[in-house]
Amino acid sequence: MSSSSPDTQRTMTAVVTRSGGSVDIPDVLVDATVPAPAAPTGHDILVEVKALSVNPVDVKVRAALNHTGGEERILGWDAAGTVIAVGEQATLFQPGDDVYYAGALERPGSYGQLQLVDERIVGPKPSSLDYASAAALPLTSLTAWEALFDKLHLSRNSAGTILVLGAAGGVGSMVIQLTKALTDVSVIATASREESRDWVRSLGADAVVDHFAEDLAQQVLAIAPDGVDYVFTPQSRGRVPLLTTVVRPFGEIVAIDDERDLDLYALKDKAISWHWEFMFARPRHGYDLITQHHILSTVAELIDSGRIRGTASQMLTPRNAAQIRAAHRLIESGRTVGKIVVTDAG
């Protein structure tokens, strides 16, 4: 990190998605020197990024830019770092504070050395975690929290059973933990490999079923004979027949993927509710931003009290284009467990 103040530093290092590159990842994500962000104004804070995590959204945005020949961008929507300057309306943080956040899709992301972010979608970094472990949490924690408590309206008094599809992934890992820590709902997790089955059990899943089994519906109904009350799904394609079978009448489903061609009318016979969760909706539309600050603050408290744990499963170093390219490849393999972090800390 340069010793220059935020007012005098004119450039910074970043990994950028190069305009006009081929579909091949190594040809697209490159190291670069770019203009540094301006001094923060309003509710913005300027953060020195210490570690970042790579999510499927990074891969989706990179691929979309690649196919359309879009502009160069600094991607990245998970970070932990230190505040170095604040805008005149900022009241939640001061220079020197350690923070973690997911940010907003429309703004430059965490693949840069410095990042501007609205403090109302930022939380205090869990004090018990280093930057790398903290960087694995924001996007998945916000997604899981909003899915469970804003969409399914679960509470401390909620009971029943939730089926978590793709449970070993980043969001599924947080859905399991938050469900077990903050509700009385039982968790049935889907996982296909021994590694992922062990992972979801370690997070608290009450039962594990084979994600790719031909008799998946029968496996679920053997555990919940009357049907599950709730479903969390990151993978909806081809799953509607399964869901209409295993969800009880008046049950609820929350999905986070981008699948457009779903026969949701099939859910009507059981009056099953379908919810979309998109954690970028709040920052994109300027809606109720402070709620994400409160969510991340609560997650930090749960981490520090030992009620839930971090989900970083693989750490790549140093923080450069080569390692971020490697993280994208791992995400695209569809076989990741937990979260992949890129950091300078060895």
Side-chain angles (χ1 to χ4, degrees):
M1 172 68 194
S2 167
S3 61
S4 302
S5 73
D7 292 328
T8 60
Q9 185 171 341
R10 297 290 179 250
T11 62
M12 67 175 184
T13 58
V15 174
V16 303
T17 301
R18 190 173 63 191
S19 176
S22 74
V23 176
D24 186 33
I25 292 174
D27 194 50
V28 175
L29 293 167
V30 297
D31 294 306
T33 298
V34 300
T41 60
H43 289 283
D44 275 357
I45 58 177
L46 183 62
V47 178
E48 179 186 356
V49 177
K50 301 293 185 68
L52 62 94
S53 182
V54 175
N55 292 284
V57 66
D58 301 47
V59 174
K60 291 177 184 177
V61 175
R62 186 213 81 226
L65 290 172
N66 217 25
H67 285 296
T68 62
E71 76 283 2
E72 287 188 0
R73 286 194 61 184
I74 301 174
L75 308 183
W77 293 282
D78 256 341
T82 302
V83 178
I84 59 174
V86 303
E88 69 277 3
Q89 296 181 49
T91 60
L92 301 174
F93 300 103
Q94 295 297 321
D97 289 344
D98 287 333
V99 295
Y100 74 142
Y101 55 90
L105 273 177
E106 292 74 22
R107 305 189 71 178
S110 54
Y111 294 4
Q113 185 183 18
L114 301 171
Q115 185 179 4
L116 285 172
V117 60
D118 191 307
E119 67 166 359
R120 294 170 292 183
I121 58 173
V122 174
K125 181 182 78 66
S127 59
S128 60
L129 297 183
D130 58 20
Y131 294 110
S133 298
L137 290 169
L139 184 147
T140 56
S141 297
L142 289 166
T143 300
W145 186 286
E146 291 179 1
L148 293 171
F149 306 116
D150 289 348
K151 297 299 181 177
L152 300 180
H153 299 291
L154 299 187
S155 69
R156 178 73 269 179
N157 297 322
S158 296
T161 302
I162 185 170
L163 173 64
V164 183
L165 298 177
V171 182
S173 297
M174 292 306 299
V175 169
I176 293 170
Q177 293 195 88
L178 292 175
T179 300
K180 298 302 295 181
L182 300 176
T183 79
D184 287 325
V185 174
S186 296
V187 175
I188 302 174
T190 75
S192 58
R193 294 174 292 126
E194 196 58 37
E195 177 189 13
S196 54
R197 296 168 74 89
D198 290 343
W199 175 266
V200 298
R201 288 191 187 100
S202 75
L203 297 174
D206 297 285
V208 185
V209 292
D210 187 345
H211 185 80
F212 294 113
E214 292 184 4
D215 66 341
L216 177 56
Q218 287 67 41
Q219 290 188 34
V220 172
L221 291 173
I223 300 166
D226 295 327
V228 299
D229 303 275
Y230 313 102
V231 175
F232 169 83
T233 176
Q235 307 156 343
S236 302
R237 176 178 292 184
R239 290 298 190 183
V240 172
L242 167 72
L243 300 178
T244 58
T245 301
V246 303
V247 178
R248 65 159 172 81
F250 288 84
E252 299 185 76
I253 301 166
V254 59
I256 63 170
D257 55 350
D258 298 321
E259 190 61 36
R260 290 176 169 82
D261 299 321
L262 297 173
D263 179 19
L264 298 184
Y265 185 75
L267 304 175
K268 184 178 180 181
D269 182 64
K270 285 186 174 180
I272 296 170
S273 298
W274 183 278
H275 305 274
W276 290 114
E277 158 54 19
F278 183 52
M279 57 81 38
F280 290 114
R282 280 189 163 108
R284 170 169 285 178
H285 298 285
Y287 173 74
D288 189 27
L289 297 181
I290 195 65
T291 290
Q292 292 202 338
H293 168 74
H294 294 319
I295 292 170
L296 291 173
S297 298
T298 301
V299 169
E301 292 170 2
L302 291 169
I303 290 283
D304 289 337
S305 66
R307 297 181 67 188
I308 64 175
R309 65 174 174 84
T311 57
S313 59
Q314 189 166 355
M315 296 192 186
L316 306 179
T317 187
R319 190 155 46 101
N320 61 20
Q323 297 302 328
I324 291 177
R325 291 195 295 263
H328 276 241
R329 290 192 187 94
L330 289 167
I331 293 290
E332 290 185 317
S333 75
R335 297 174 62 85
T336 56
V337 169
K339 291 295 297 297
I340 303 164
V341 175
V342 185
T343 178
D344 286 328

